[in-house]
Amino acid sequence: MALQNMQNNRSVTEVLQDIVANIQEIVRSEFKLARTEIGEQATRAAKSSAPLGSGIVLAPYALGFILLAIVYALEMVVAAWLAALIVGVAVAAVAAILVSVGRKRLEQVKMPQRTMASVKENVEWAKNQIR
């Protein structure tokens, strides 16, 4: 004996099956949206890491040139220490710029906000359908 819905002659079982099917489709859609958003953010993070990584690689060389300049300065070999100091400062400046650019780009990488908001909305919808 199936209970009938007076409005459209559908049984409670059919209504519940439709609700479950809708929830399954929503969950699939949410996973697809999350996968897309995470892929976009991963691409953005990869692009941000190139200047950051370059800056990190160049920073020890800058330190090496600055230290070499100090050594040459102590030896009072004017031409050599001046050249090493100029190179060291230039490499340090490039490293600082690259690290700064990479950090700014990395700060722009966000969590998938649209997916999180959509999931909350869908949970509320499902709660209201069950009541």
Side-chain angles (χ1 to χ4, degrees), residues 3-121:
L3 298 173
Q4 295 292 321
N5 184 340
M6 294 298 173
Q7 293 177 347
N8 58 6
N9 295 330
R10 294 175 59 196
S11 69
V12 173
T13 306
E14 290 173 332
V15 171
L16 289 176
Q17 286 175 342
D18 285 347
I19 290 172
V20 169
N22 287 337
I23 291 172
Q24 287 175 339
E25 183 60 33
I26 289 168
V27 169
R28 282 188 206 106
S29 297
E30 294 305 327
F31 277 114
K32 186 176 181 180
L33 178 61
R35 191 176 339 131
T36 301
E37 283 190 47
I38 290 171
E40 290 172 359
Q41 295 302 328
T43 301
R44 186 178 281 169
K47 288 180 182 177
S48 301
S49 64
L52 181 63
S54 298
I56 290 171
V57 167
L58 289 176
Y61 288 107
L63 180 62
F65 281 119
I66 290 170
L67 292 174
L68 184 61
I70 292 170
V71 170
Y72 282 134
L74 290 174
E75 290 180 4
M76 300 302 284
V77 180
V78 175
W81 73 263
L82 186 56
L85 183 61
I86 291 170
V87 170
V89 170
V91 171
V94 170
I97 291 169
L98 290 172
V99 168
S100 175
V101 168
R103 282 186 56 201
K104 286 180 184 176
R105 287 185 185 175
L106 203 53
E107 288 172 358
Q108 294 174 353
V109 176
K110 306 281 188 222
M111 293 300 293
Q113 299 296 324
R114 293 180 301 201
T115 301
M116 291 174 15
S118 180
V119 166
K120 287 178 185 177
E121 181 182 314

Side-chain angles (χ1 to χ4, degrees), residues 15-16 19 22-23 123-131:
V15 171
L16 289 176
I19 290 172
N22 287 337
I23 291 172
V123 167
E124 286 301 316
W125 176 85
K127 284 180 184 178
N128 290 334
Q129 293 297 318
I130 293 173
R131 290 182 189 160

